[in-house]
Amino acid sequence: MDLLNDPELLNELAPLLSAEAAAEAPGTGVDPADLEQAVWVRLLESGRRAPDPADPAEPARWLRRAVRAEARLARRSARREIPYGDRRHSAGGGPPAVPAGGAEPEDALLHGEENRALRSAVARLPGRCPELMKALLSPRDLTYREIAGELGISQGSLGPVRSRCLGCLRRMLAAEVAAPGLRGMER
């Protein structure tokens, strides 16, 4: 017997599918209805046969696995998506949203200049701050334990030293960079 031709079983599974999709959707960035639809399409494409009547929990188990698999696919595709529009600004108004491989020459130049300015400011920091900031900015993505071992300081003092160094760097860069313009209506 074909699962798709069993309307009773499909009607029983619909509320479970809605609940599972509603539970998984917030972490995927996808609407729960879209997730439900993807699972129904997966069911249609699989040509799923009816489960063994001795195991009534099998269709629910398949449904849960299918919802989670579709949620994983949605998360993966959301990570790879790049929004259309002005590539120089991200949707949140933060740093530029530029694809890593296909950056335009002027974007690469600006990014390089920003990195040089940051590294120059880090080199001018007082005390142990340059060493610490270089370790924090390292592409090796060191842990606090590894950084403390490299610098020969205790792991517990790393946080306060980092805070002082970041404050000093923030003040230094604020003095070098013009303040952003006013947003909204001026009074």
Side-chain angles (χ1 to χ4, degrees), residues 22-88:
E24 290 288 332
T28 62
V30 175
D31 188 54
D34 290 340
L35 201 53
E36 280 185 60
Q37 185 176 12
V39 173
W40 286 125
V41 168
R42 180 181 279 230
L43 177 64
L44 287 170
E45 287 175 346
S46 73
R48 185 94 171 125
R49 294 274 173 213
D52 182 18
D55 186 9
E58 202 274 329
R61 222 180 354 254
W62 179 87
L63 194 68
R64 285 188 199 98
R65 282 193 307 258
V67 169
R68 290 186 181 108
E70 289 299 327
R72 277 192 306 274
L73 283 173
R75 275 192 297 274
R76 274 191 222 122
S77 64
R79 270 188 251 133
R80 290 189 304 253
E81 288 178 353
I82 299 169
Y84 287 115
D86 187 7
R87 293 179 17 165
R88 293 178 192 267

Side-chain angles (χ1 to χ4, degrees), residues 76-148:
R76 274 191 222 122
S77 64
R79 270 188 251 133
R80 290 189 304 253
E81 288 178 353
I82 299 169
Y84 287 115
D86 187 7
R87 293 179 17 165
R88 293 178 192 267
H89 302 287
S90 69
V98 178
E104 294 180 10
E106 53 275 358
D107 291 333
L109 178 69
L110 288 173
H111 187 66
E113 286 178 11
E114 290 169 353
N115 278 342
R116 276 189 294 282
L118 177 63
R119 300 237 183 247
S120 170
V122 164
R124 293 189 316 255
L125 287 170
R128 301 192 87 168
C129 289
E131 297 171 319
L132 175 61
M133 295 306 296
K134 284 177 187 172
L136 289 170
L137 293 170
S138 169
R140 295 185 300 162
D141 196 25
L142 302 170
T143 64
Y144 266 27
R145 178 177 287 173
E146 293 167 336
I147 293 171

Side-chain angles (χ1 to χ4, degrees), residues 12-34:
E12 287 176 26
L13 292 177
L16 177 61
L17 175 59
S18 294
E20 290 287 330
E24 290 288 332
T28 62
V30 175
D31 188 54
D34 290 340

